[in-house]
Structure formats: C-alpha cells, structure tokens
C-alpha cells in the first residue's frame, strides 16, 4: 500500500490550501485516514482523521475551526482543506492509515511521503 500526498506550496497568511492523499489500493472500510504535520524542530502533530467507512471526521481543538477532512471513495483519495492559514501552520503534512481511530502516530502503519506547506506572514 502506498500513499501519495500532494498539494503543498507557498501561500500567504489567510489563504486556503487543499492537500490530497491518494491511496494505491482500495482502502478497507475499517481504515482511518489521518493527517499529521511536522514543523521544523518540532514533534509530529495530529491534525485530524476520517473514517473511510462513513466519513466521520475528528479534529484536535487546535485546527477544528479551520481544517476540514473529506474523502472521495471512488478515487481512493482523502483531502485536507485548510482555511485561514497561519504562519504557524508551516510544516510538512503527512497522510497515514490506521486500523482504528487514534491521534497517535504510532498507531498508523502506512504513511505518505509528506508535502510541504509554507505560510508566509
């Protein structure tokens, strides 16, 4: 199983950006697709997840009013819509797969390669 994340780039504060994560095979209904980010010099941070089966989404308080996760079942793709971006959102963003809902990176067993998002002030 391979995950390919793309869509990152350089944006200004207040802009929006949508990241995509394509899964190479049909996801199992039990899978949870998560998004994480890691800023330079900081630990990896959970930014949300979606259940592949029913589309239920989960977010940490830090991003829940600005980030939205969705999926396209036909395209095996998960999206991370990021609105009102801030400079502190600058990070490499990763998508990953877990067998159940979790905000811990150690619970995810497939990872994409990451895509860099840079937000200028």
């Amino acid at each position: 199983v391979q995950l390919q994340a793309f869509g990152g780039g350089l944006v200004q504060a207040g802009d929006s950006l949508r990241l995509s994560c394509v899964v190479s095979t049909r996801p199992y209904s039990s899978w949870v697709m998560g998004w994480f980010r890691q800023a330079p010099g900081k630990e990896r941070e959970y930014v949300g997840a979606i259940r592949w089966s029913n589309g239920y989404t989960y977010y940490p308080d830090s991003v829940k009013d600005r980030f939205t996760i969705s999926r396209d079942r036909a395209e095996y793709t998960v999206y991370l819509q990021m609105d009102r971006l801030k400079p502190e959102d600058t990070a490499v963003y990763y998508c990953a797969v877990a067998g159940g809902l979790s905000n811990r990176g150690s619970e995810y067993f497939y990872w994409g390669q990451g895509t860099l998002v840079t937000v200028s002030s």
Side-chain angles (χ1 to χ4, degrees):
V1 177
Q2 294 183 338
L3 283 68
Q4 184 175 5
F6 58 94
L10 174 63
V11 298
Q12 294 186 334
D15 286 352
S16 296
L17 196 64
R18 188 177 78 162
L19 307 183
S20 301
C21 175
V22 181
V23 186
S24 62
T25 62
R26 180 178 181 177
Y28 287 97
S29 59
S30 60
W31 280 5
V32 171
M33 311 294 293
W35 284 95
F36 292 80
R37 67 185 180 186
Q38 188 163 21
K42 295 188 176 181
E43 294 187 353
R44 184 173 56 199
E45 178 186 10
Y46 167 76
V47 296
I50 185 168
R51 291 191 184 275
W52 188 258
S53 59
N54 56 19
Y56 285 3
T57 53
Y58 308 86
Y59 307 96
D61 290 342
S62 58
V63 304
K64 68 178 181 179
D65 294 330
R66 299 186 298 119
F67 289 10
T68 305
I69 299 173
S70 61
R71 85 231 191 287
D72 183 328
R73 298 185 67 173
E75 298 295 326
Y76 304 167
T77 300
V78 177
Y79 303 101
L80 176 64
Q81 175 69 40
M82 303 183 291
D83 298 320
R84 303 190 302 281
L85 282 162
K86 306 174 182 179
E88 51 264 43
D89 293 319
T90 294
V92 177
Y93 284 72
Y94 300 88
C95 57
V97 173
L101 182 64
S102 176
N103 62 0
R104 296 163 52 184
S106 59
E107 299 294 323
Y108 289 75
F109 42 80
Y110 296 126
W111 289 82
Q113 83 286 5
T115 184
L116 176 63
V117 173
T118 303
V119 184
S120 64
S121 58

